[in-house]
Amino acid sequence: MAKVLVVTSGKGGVGKTTSTAALGAALAQNGERVVVVDFDVGLRNLDLVMGAERRVVFDLINVVQGVAKLSQALIRDKRLENLWLLPASQTRDKDALTDDGVRRIIADLRTKFDWVICDSPAGIERGATLAMRYADEAVIVTNPEVSSVRDSDRIIGMLDSKTARAERGERVTKHVLITRYDSARAMRGEMLGIDDILDILATPLLGIIPESQDVLRASNIGSPVTLNNAASAPARAYFDAARRLNGEDVAMTVPVERRGFMNRLLGRRAA
Amino acid sequence: MSATAEPQRQLLRFRGRSFVAFVFSPVVPIMGWLEELDATLARSPGFFAGRPVVLDLSALELSQSAIAHLIASLQERSIRVLGIEGVDEAQLGSGMPPVLTGGRQCSVEDARPKTKAPSGSLLLETPVRSGQSIVFTEGDVTVLGSVGSGAEIVAGGSIHVYGTLRGRAMAGVNGNSSARIYCQKIEAELLAIDGYYQTADEIDGRLRNKPAQAWLDGNIMRITPLN
Ligand SMILES: Nc1ncnc2c1ncn2[C@@H]1O[C@H](COP(=O)(O)OP(=O)(O)OP(=O)(O)O)[C@@H](O)[C@H]1O
Ligand SMILES: [Mg+2]
């Protein structure tokens, strides 16, 4: 049974696109057929993080409008043969995305993949509601700060009321993914603690992704962090999260950077 | 099915949407009424920001310039008037909000209640999330969960929150001064009973995160620990 997963947040820049790519690649490395779908029309990003920006010919809106077939728009990853990307359009108006068009595409993708992962745009407007519209599950990406948590709370309310599942009286399975977590800053009380976030959101935790330079390095060379440096702290956290998405019971840890020799030599200045 | 083919017509489609508006009914002297409004705003700044406000002028006899002045005074306080009731079209200038008729007292439920007892109480079995507004003027509202920051509950009766109250709670909105607000943990942004408000800043810090209730003692709002 295919699962449709939306990666959403309300607040911008919290790590949705990074998480879509990392989770998608992690699931694909376990042998599952995965497609990551970019819903951020006009500000597409996922193709860059996936390193596929120079291979985009057709996009989501072309398929919605019937200009291209789904098979023409799907881009297969160069590194993982069961990982695919359905890119967004950088040039077209986001109003071109229609509810009915999204419904048809998602239904079609369900027949071809095990996981359909939708990278939502920020905000609570049409783009975000369409990205979540046909989801079975949701990853709510949250940074450990008040405004992000509050936006996540709002998005959870929308997942419970504005999705097709909610309208049928069913539930979207929700998971909170805390990203950009800096344990040193949390210890100094400069960030919200994990317990505080979970208390406010009253939603199960999928994982804790540490703040890490490895994420930037990976996205700069167009690779999901779980492919680029599988041993890094954020990659390990994403692998654990992917296993939890598959229903495995994995102990929750707060991953820390493994400090290399140079780091230790240079001490704190390396941060 | 009709046998003759009608020419296709593109129909203009209108969509209706109703809002709950605050109705302001100014009384003379207008300056005194504005002062009262300022006192309310001082207690809860931004309370009316972004909310539809309707002016009911039926109790007043104002000239066009006096109406214009009143609208401008409200605008200075960041209150935007959506429409005006109780005046003749001819009394209003061209740049003014339109005359509204047919407004009615109403109750709105934004979230679908899971269980609704016939006794005029509303039970919500899931948390109330940021951005959600539950308006239930017929009676009490009980929430089995938390009320998020940026969420609000408006009740004709009392409000019971079996979780943390982080958002706004307004009880007794129809003039029921014996309504109370109870919660398991108080972190509210705003509490109101029958029009008396307290904002987060005014709530005693020692009560924070503890079980508490708010009630009216005459025209003073008391917030006291539960148990
Ligand atoms: N764990 C992390 N450590 C360090 N930097 C991170 C981490 N996660 C994300 N970032 C960085 O934060 C920025 C925003 O990330 P990303 O584009 O994934 O967010 P987004 O939620 O998709 O943003 P938008 O709302 O604009 O779509 C990027 O520069 C990304 O590299
Ligand atoms: Mg993004």
Side-chain angles (χ1 to χ4, degrees):
Chain A
M1 263 292 277
K3 276 192 187 152
V4 178
L5 176 74
V6 62
V7 178
T8 182
S9 70
K11 191 172 162 73
V14 294
K16 293 178 293 296
T17 301
T18 302
S19 300
T20 302
L23 290 171
L27 289 165
Q29 285 175 76
N30 283 339
E32 299 188 60
R33 290 175 59 83
V34 179
V35 61
V36 290
V37 185
D38 193 347
F39 271 83
D40 208 345
V41 175
L43 283 171
R44 65 170 220 231
N45 252 303
L46 190 56
D47 54 336
L48 290 172
V49 174
M50 300 286 292
E53 72 278 11
R54 296 195 300 188
R55 299 164 61 207
V56 173
V57 182
F58 296 110
D59 56 53
L60 182 63
I61 289 189
N62 292 143
V63 183
V64 166
Q65 296 179 330
V67 174
K69 288 204 281 270
L70 184 57
S71 56
Q72 291 175 298
L74 286 169
I75 302 172
R76 183 177 227 152
D77 191 84
K78 282 190 166 156
R79 299 146 294 204
L80 286 172
E81 63 165 17
N82 44 348
L83 178 60
W84 299 73
L85 165 71
L86 181 54
S89 164
Q90 183 74 344
T91 48
R92 263 162 276 269
D93 184 7
K94 54 182 182 296
D95 290 337
L97 216 52
T98 61
D99 188 321
D100 192 53
V102 171
R103 185 181 52 75
R104 280 183 285 119
I105 288 189
I106 297 283
D108 205 350
L109 290 171
R110 273 182 196 277
T111 66
K112 299 182 167 66
F113 294 94
D114 300 316
W115 286 94
V116 178
I117 308 183
C118 306
D119 180 19
S120 173
I124 54 170
E125 309 303 332
R126 215 174 118 79
T129 49
L130 280 177
M132 69 170 63
R133 184 85 187 127
Y134 297 99
D136 306 309
E137 299 199 15
V139 168
I140 301 115
V141 180
T142 306
N143 289 168
E145 47 159 302
V146 176
S147 62
S148 170
V149 174
R150 178 159 143 164
D151 285 2
S152 294
D153 194 49
R154 179 146 198 183
I155 283 288
I156 292 171
M158 292 171 58
L159 286 163
D160 287 341
S161 60
K162 293 209 178 349
T163 51
R165 264 183 181 256
E167 285 172 7
R168 291 197 302 265
E170 296 167 24
R171 297 209 132 230
V172 172
T173 306
K174 300 174 295 273
H175 316 267
V176 169
L177 183 67
I178 299 174
T179 61
R180 312 204 67 163
Y181 184 76
D182 184 330
S183 48
R185 289 188 59 198
M187 212 106 87
R188 292 196 298 269
E190 293 168 14
M191 286 183 155
L192 281 180
I194 306 287
D195 290 344
D196 295 330
I197 298 171
L198 296 180
D199 184 45
I200 292 172
L201 297 180
T203 300
L205 179 62
L206 183 69
I208 306 162
I209 314 298
E211 172 78 23
S212 165
Q213 287 297 315
D214 289 305
V215 171
L216 275 177
R217 268 197 288 273
S219 72
N220 281 340
I221 62 164
S223 168
V225 69
T226 41
L227 271 179
N228 185 54
N229 183 357
S232 66
R236 282 181 289 136
Y238 276 121
F239 279 118
D240 282 356
R243 288 170 59 196
R244 291 185 195 106
L245 274 179
N246 265 327
E248 278 185 57
D249 195 6
V250 184
M252 191 67 66
T253 52
V254 183
V256 289
E257 300 281 343
R258 285 192 188 124
R259 290 199 161 225
F261 174 70
M262 281 305 279
N263 272 341
R264 258 176 294 157
L265 199 67
L266 297 172
R268 288 177 181 276
R269 282 215 35 217
Chain B
M1 278 264 173
S2 102
T4 52
E6 292 275 325
Q8 286 268 315
R9 251 188 314 159
Q10 189 71 45
L11 292 177
L12 195 57
R13 292 173 73 199
F14 291 97
R15 257 201 232 138
R17 181 173 297 184
S18 39
F19 290 92
V20 179
F22 283 87
V23 179
F24 283 14
S25 314
V27 288
V28 279
I30 298 281
M31 288 319 283
W33 181 81
L34 284 172
E35 271 166 29
E36 231 178 89
L37 179 65
D38 285 335
T40 305
L41 286 173
R43 268 181 281 151
S44 35
F47 185 70
F48 297 107
R51 291 172 193 265
V53 165
V54 170
L55 263 188
D56 178 1
L57 300 181
S58 52
L60 300 174
E61 297 265 332
L62 295 181
S63 67
Q64 186 169 322
S65 66
I67 295 175
H69 186 72
L70 178 59
I71 294 172
S73 307
L74 291 172
Q75 214 138 41
E76 276 167 24
R77 292 164 174 80
S78 301
I79 296 169
R80 303 284 297 269
V81 176
L82 176 97
I84 303 181
E85 273 187 318
V87 286
D88 280 338
E89 195 81 60
Q91 278 174 269
L92 299 183
S94 57
M96 289 188 184
V99 173
L100 292 181
T101 52
R104 55 196 156 88
Q105 297 282 17
C106 65
S107 68
V108 179
E109 285 153 34
D110 221 347
R112 267 155 294 157
K114 295 286 183 303
T115 316
K116 189 175 166 184
S119 60
S121 69
L122 176 68
L123 174 62
L124 301 164
E125 294 188 279
T126 50
V128 182
R129 304 287 181 177
S130 181
Q132 292 180 333
S133 173
I134 309 292
V135 182
F136 184 73
T137 51
E138 291 94 330
D140 293 3
V141 174
T142 304
V143 184
L144 300 181
S146 298
V147 177
S149 157
E152 70 182 10
I153 310 250
V154 179
S158 296
I159 296 173
H160 309 257
V161 179
Y162 293 92
T164 310
L165 172 55
R166 298 190 179 86
R168 300 158 166 241
M170 293 166 236
V173 291
N174 291 339
N176 177 0
S177 57
S178 59
R180 294 190 179 203
I181 299 167
Y182 308 86
C183 59
Q184 203 100 68
K185 273 187 175 185
I186 186 165
E187 273 184 61
E189 288 163 351
L190 178 121
L191 297 173
I193 298 173
D194 185 21
Y196 293 89
Y197 303 100
Q198 285 210 2
T199 53
D201 281 350
E202 298 163 313
I203 299 171
D204 187 346
R206 284 167 300 182
L207 286 170
R208 299 222 134 220
N209 266 314
K210 301 220 170 78
Q213 63 164 326
W215 47 286
L216 281 186
D217 181 5
N219 47 19
I220 296 168
M221 188 190 288
R222 307 249 183 233
I223 304 173
T224 49
L226 270 180
N227 64 45

